[in-house]
C-alpha cells in the first residue's frame, strides 16, 4: 500500500476521493466507465490472459473493484507511469524504493502496480516461478483494494511502510498475507493449469516452497 506521513483519517478520505477522480478522468478520456478491473500488462514473463484467468478464480467481488492493474517490464516503465496523468500519483519516495529493489507491488488510489523486475533472478525454474510470485503479489494487493472497499475497519490508523518496524504486524498486512497464502494454496491446481506450471509448490506467508 502507499503510505504517506499525514493524518491517517484525512488520508483515508483523500485517497478515496483521488481514486474517484482518477475514475472520472479515465471516463473523460476513454468514454468508458471503470467498473471491472483493467489490466495493463507490459511484462514479457506473464500474459494479461493468465492474469485475468487467475483473478477469475477469486470471488466475484474481486472481479469488479474498478482497479487498474499495471505489470511492468522495467523500472523506466514504472517511473513513466507516475508521470502519466492517468497513472499513479507522483511519489518520489516510492520511486526511490522501486529503484532500490525494495518494492514488488503497491496498491492505492484505485491502482495496483506489480514490479516483477525486483524479484531475484536466481529463482528455481525462474520462467515459471516468477509467475507465481507475480500472482501472489497481485492477490495480496487485490486484498488491500478489497479492504479499501469492503473492510475499512481493518485499515491501520497509523500505517507503517514496508521495511520499517511493525510493518508485518499491521492488521491490514496480516490479513492481505493470509488471504494471498490461502488463495494460492486453495487454487494450486487451477493456477498450475493456467500458468503452465508442472511442479508442485506451496505458498507460506509471502514465501514459496518449490517441490521439483
Amino acid at each position: 500500500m502507499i503510505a504517506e506521513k499525514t493524518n491517517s483519517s484525512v488520508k483515508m478520505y483523500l485517497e478515496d476521493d483521488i481514486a474517484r477522480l482518477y475514475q472520472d478522468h479515465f471516463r473523460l478520456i476513454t468514454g468508458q466507465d471503470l467498473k471491472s478491473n483493467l489490466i495493463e500488462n507490459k511484462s514479457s514473463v506473464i500474459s494479461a490472459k493468465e492474469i485475468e484467468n487467475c483473478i477469475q478464480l477469486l470471488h466475484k467481488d474481486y472481479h469488479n473493484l474498478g482497479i487498474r492493474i499495471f505489470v511492468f517490464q522495467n523500472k523506466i516503465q514504472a517511473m513513466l507511469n507516475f508521470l502519466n496523468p492517468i497513472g499513479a500519483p507522483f511519489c518520489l519516495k516510492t520511486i526511490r524504493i522501486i529503484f532500490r529493489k525494495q518494492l514488488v507491488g503497491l496498491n492505492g488510489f484505485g491502482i495496483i502496480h506489480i514490479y516483477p523486475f525486483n524479484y531475484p533472478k536466481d529463482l528455481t525454474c525462474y520462467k515459471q516461478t516468477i509467475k507465481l510470485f507475480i500472482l501472489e503479489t497481485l492477490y495480496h494487493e487485490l486484498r488491500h483494494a478489497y479492504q479499501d472497499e469492503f473492510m475499512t475497519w481493518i485499515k491501520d490508523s497509523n500505517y507503517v511502510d514496508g521495511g520499517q518496524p511493525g510493518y508485518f504486524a499491521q492488521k491490514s498486512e496480516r490479513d492481505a498475507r493470509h488471504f494471498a497464502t490461502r488463495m494460492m494454496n486453495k487454487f494450486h491446481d487451477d493456477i498450475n493449469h493456467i500458468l503452465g506450471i508442472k511442479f508442485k509448490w506451496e505458498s507460506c506467508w509471502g514465501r514459496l516452497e518449490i517441490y521439483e
Side-chain angles (χ1 to χ4, degrees), residues 53-192:
N53 287 343
C54 287
I55 293 175
Q56 290 299 315
L57 296 174
L58 305 178
H59 187 274
K60 62 181 181 180
D61 286 348
Y62 291 86
H63 305 168
N64 300 295
L65 288 168
I67 296 294
R68 290 164 49 229
I69 301 167
F70 296 89
V71 184
F72 298 104
Q73 179 74 13
N74 54 54
K75 296 176 183 178
I76 301 302
Q77 291 177 351
M79 184 180 69
L80 290 175
N81 185 267
F82 285 98
L83 301 174
N84 189 322
I86 59 172
F90 184 83
C91 178
L92 184 58
K93 178 181 178 181
T94 302
I95 293 173
R96 285 174 175 166
I97 296 173
I98 294 169
F99 273 75
R100 292 171 185 159
K101 296 188 175 183
Q102 296 173 329
L103 191 65
V104 294
L106 64 81
N107 162 71
F109 307 101
I111 290 173
I112 287 176
H113 278 192
I114 308 292
Y115 311 116
F117 50 81
N118 276 347
Y119 288 109
K121 298 298 188 291
D122 58 351
L123 296 172
T124 302
C125 305
Y126 176 83
K127 290 185 178 180
Q128 297 180 71
T129 305
I130 187 64
K131 293 182 179 184
L132 294 173
F133 275 101
I134 290 170
L135 182 59
E136 183 158 41
T137 301
L138 178 59
Y139 280 176
H140 181 106
E141 300 302 342
L142 278 171
R143 182 62 168 187
H144 281 316
Y146 182 88
Q147 292 169 355
D148 294 341
E149 187 73 20
F150 300 107
M151 300 172 65
T152 53
W153 55 269
I154 206 171
K155 297 174 81 170
D156 298 279
S157 58
N158 293 294
Y159 185 81
V160 177
D161 281 328
Q164 296 184 24
Y167 169 76
F168 290 109
Q170 297 174 110
K171 290 183 297 184
S172 60
E173 290 301 329
R174 292 200 311 268
D175 176 72
R177 288 198 308 278
H178 177 69
F179 174 81
T181 294
R182 188 162 55 89
M183 292 302 102
M184 291 289 288
N185 292 332
K186 177 180 179 179
F187 296 114
H188 175 284
D189 293 345
D190 296 295
I191 290 170
N192 270 12

Side-chain angles (χ1 to χ4, degrees), residues 23-73:
Q23 291 178 348
D24 291 341
H25 195 183
F26 180 86
R27 186 183 303 112
L28 180 64
I29 292 176
T30 66
Q32 303 174 24
D33 285 328
L34 185 56
K35 294 181 179 178
S36 60
N37 300 326
L38 178 67
I39 299 170
E40 297 191 28
N41 180 42
K42 300 177 182 299
S43 172
S44 61
V45 297
I46 193 169
S47 71
K49 187 66 175 176
E50 289 173 327
I51 296 170
E52 173 63 25
N53 287 343
C54 287
I55 293 175
Q56 290 299 315
L57 296 174
L58 305 178
H59 187 274
K60 62 181 181 180
D61 286 348
Y62 291 86
H63 305 168
N64 300 295
L65 288 168
I67 296 294
R68 290 164 49 229
I69 301 167
F70 296 89
V71 184
F72 298 104
Q73 179 74 13

